[in-house]
Amino acid sequence: MTNKNLVVIGTHWGDEGKGKIVDLLTESVTAVVRFQGGHNAGHTLVVEGKKTVLHLIPSGILHPKVRCFIGNGVVLSIPDLLKEIQELEAAGVAVRDRLMISLDCPIIMPYHVALDQSVEQRRGNQKIGTTGRGIGPAYEDKVGRRGIRLRDLLDQEQLIFKLEALLHQHNFMLEQYYGAAPVTLQACLAASYDFLAELRPMMGDVLSTLASYRKTGASVLFEGAQGALLDIDHGTYPFVTSSNTTAGAISSGCGVGPRYLDYILGITKAYTTRVGEGPFPTELKDDVGRHLAEKGHEFGATTGRPRRCGWLDVHALQRVVEMNSLTGLCITKLDVLDGLKEIALCTDYEVDAVGTSTPVYEMMPGWDTPTESVKSFTELPENARAYLARIEALCGIPIDIISTGPDRSETIIKRTLI
Ligand code: IMP
């Protein structure tokens, strides 16, 4: 059976390779929706050897017939959105008539960026390692019920009134507490209101448009950003992002109720990585870790920071299967494990009296025959198949897709999802 509404979620700390899979699955859908996060995300797509990095615009945009939506759960940096649109247009991809942005999106203002950076600096060695893009402070204003939403641009007088109150509060913190430069009203208008004419045709009611798709039986793909272990509630708090990154966020983040989701796909890298600070029990600081980083080109798509690398944390994955009600998994970057003598799977943690987790590993033999670019499951080396089978058994759900290289074509599809 194929599914109508499909969800794609990263299962660890982001960078699992969601962009490529969303792009691939997009061939069969009418629309792709972002429902949380902001331009802290970075989705790298390689199509016919050409690399595109997207931060805000759904990865479906490279398919000319697909409509793309930015739901109300996304915090919006308007200058960054427009820059991304212009870059796509320069590459020959039409965006404006295919993108709808929710009127209810909170806007990231210059004071959010200033606060994000000031807070991180003040934390010193306790820093979170944020992307410095104002994501956290923008969500704080949203939850504080004082944030500026996209619809606020429609009434300039009211916008200025609200902004003045926000500047009063945030500049007090910036100047008096953090010793940073204040932000001007002009800078805020230049990052928002000044683009109204350009944005107006793309602003719309995402909820009702998606409802009309559902009523006509059109398929929609929901594209998660970051990963489940960066979820504000279920992640490795406080080393998390400021949104819910799990499947439950779809309903609040774009207005599609939970009963309308048909298949939830977890994207899992064949090993685990993390950018920024925070716990990472299976991290490898040895030659194997460096090998994974080098072979897997593990540098952040948004900040260019090197990613920390380690063995696949299946123990964490089991919890992620549960919290997202995952239907199946897609394993990416299997080829990066090619040539390793032994591969470890973390199946449990031993937790000491102060709460430090030491991973418990199950060792599996590696494989010599490369999996790189392999396009059929039966052509995978036996030990690679055994590795995948063990992950399936431990998680209790099937691996439906395997990615063996960055290109769209380097993919094994075991089950057609849509
Ligand atoms: P923020 O989302 O900028 O507040 O950063 C909070 C944490 O989430 C940091 O550890 C970031 O490195 C991490 N993070 C945010 N977005 C991504 C992503 O798309 N991939 C991987 N890590 C991310």
Side-chain angles (χ1 to χ4, degrees):
M1 198 200 94
T2 52
N3 304 279
K4 269 205 335 243
N5 283 341
L6 197 73
V7 180
V8 171
I9 296 286
T11 56
H12 288 80
W13 288 285
D15 310 312
E16 293 90 356
K18 294 180 290 293
K20 169 186 156 167
I21 304 302
V22 169
D23 175 59
L24 191 85
L25 295 169
T26 297
E27 271 167 23
S28 323
V29 302
T30 300
V32 182
V33 185
R34 276 277 310 265
F35 54 90
Q36 49 72 227
H39 65 311
N40 49 350
H43 292 162
T44 308
L45 311 175
V46 181
V47 183
E48 283 153 19
K50 214 176 107 224
K51 195 168 140 179
T52 307
V53 182
L54 299 172
H55 298 286
L56 257 175
I57 299 178
S59 304
I61 201 76
L62 299 187
H63 293 259
K65 287 201 191 115
V66 171
R67 291 270 293 163
C68 289
F69 292 85
I70 296 181
N72 58 279
V74 173
V75 285
L76 193 70
S77 162
I78 294 170
D80 285 281
L81 171 76
L82 293 172
K83 189 165 152 258
E84 206 167 307
I85 292 177
Q86 282 153 13
E87 279 170 11
L88 283 166
E89 285 172 341
V93 180
V95 179
R96 291 167 206 262
D97 53 346
R98 295 197 288 127
L99 179 66
M100 184 188 283
I101 311 161
S102 168
L103 285 156
D104 296 325
C105 280
I107 298 175
I108 300 181
M109 289 288 180
Y111 44 78
H112 293 134
V113 180
L115 281 167
D116 193 357
Q117 292 169 1
S118 298
V119 172
E120 279 286 271
Q121 210 176 354
R122 176 62 62 92
R123 278 177 180 262
N125 58 11
Q126 299 294 308
K127 72 176 194 296
I128 308 283
T130 72
T131 59
R133 303 198 160 193
I135 307 294
Y139 278 116
E140 283 179 44
D141 270 355
K142 166 184 165 166
V143 177
R145 298 172 291 192
R146 56 180 176 258
I148 306 285
R149 292 171 151 199
L150 198 51
R151 66 167 72 250
D152 289 318
L153 303 190
L154 299 172
D155 184 338
Q156 191 190 17
E157 202 179 311
Q158 274 299 310
L159 172 69
I160 291 174
F161 179 74
K162 288 178 188 170
L163 273 173
E164 275 171 345
L166 280 157
L167 282 166
H168 195 69
Q169 174 180 345
H170 291 318
N171 279 339
F172 180 81
M173 284 300 279
L174 282 169
E175 289 182 279
Q176 305 298 321
Y177 187 70
Y178 293 112
V183 170
T184 63
L185 176 65
Q186 225 167 1
C188 296
L189 294 175
S192 58
Y193 183 76
D194 288 2
F195 296 111
L196 176 61
E198 213 177 334
L199 287 170
R200 191 68 193 95
M202 293 183 276
M203 289 157 65
D205 183 350
V206 170
L207 184 153
S208 59
T209 312
L210 292 178
S212 71
Y213 283 8
R214 186 179 62 75
K215 286 172 192 155
T216 58
S219 293
V220 175
L221 197 157
F222 300 89
E223 175 180 8
Q226 291 86 43
L229 300 180
L230 286 171
D231 184 278
I232 184 76
D233 287 289
H234 296 293
T236 46
Y237 192 91
F239 299 98
V240 291
T241 192
S242 296
S243 61
N244 285 107
T245 57
T246 37
I250 290 167
S251 302
S252 53
C254 67
V256 172
R259 269 201 307 120
Y260 303 138
L261 306 176
D262 300 303
Y263 183 108
I264 304 178
L265 178 69
I267 311 288
T268 305
K269 191 146 45 180
Y271 49 99
T272 300
T273 61
R274 167 158 215 175
V275 199
E277 312 306 312
F280 181 3
T282 65
E283 182 171 9
L284 293 166
K285 291 184 173 160
D286 57 7
D287 284 348
V288 179
R290 280 187 285 277
H291 168 85
L292 295 173
E294 233 162 79
K295 194 156 181 215
H297 308 291
E298 295 296 352
F299 295 91
T302 297
T303 57
R305 291 178 289 177
R307 297 177 186 143
R308 301 152 65 191
C309 297
W311 295 122
L312 178 58
D313 192 337
V314 181
H315 183 60
L317 182 55
Q318 289 166 331
R319 290 175 64 83
V320 169
V321 169
E322 196 60 32
M323 70 178 79
N324 286 287
S325 61
L326 294 184
T327 320
L329 290 172
C330 162
I331 301 292
T332 60
K333 292 188 144 181
L334 184 65
D335 55 298
V336 175
L337 299 181
D338 288 356
L340 291 175
K341 288 252 157 324
E342 262 195 323
I343 298 168
L345 275 177
C346 167
T347 54
D348 203 356
Y349 297 158
E350 265 167 16
V351 184
D352 68 13
V354 290
T356 309
S357 299
T358 307
V360 176
Y361 288 118
E362 214 172 277
M363 298 311 293
M364 304 211 56
W367 49 88
D368 290 326
T369 331
T371 65
E372 195 179 339
S373 304
V374 168
K375 294 179 180 69
S376 98
F377 187 71
T378 50
E379 280 169 35
L380 286 176
E382 200 182 322
N383 287 352
R385 278 185 276 150
Y387 180 67
L388 298 173
R390 189 66 191 132
I391 298 169
E392 284 183 325
L394 288 164
C395 292
I397 56 171
I399 292 171
D400 287 333
I401 302 178
I402 301 147
S403 170
T404 57
D407 205 84
R408 260 186 208 166
S409 65
E410 296 167 307
T411 315
I412 299 168
I413 303 204
K414 287 186 74 188
R415 173 174 163 199
T416 304
L417 304 191
I418 200 147

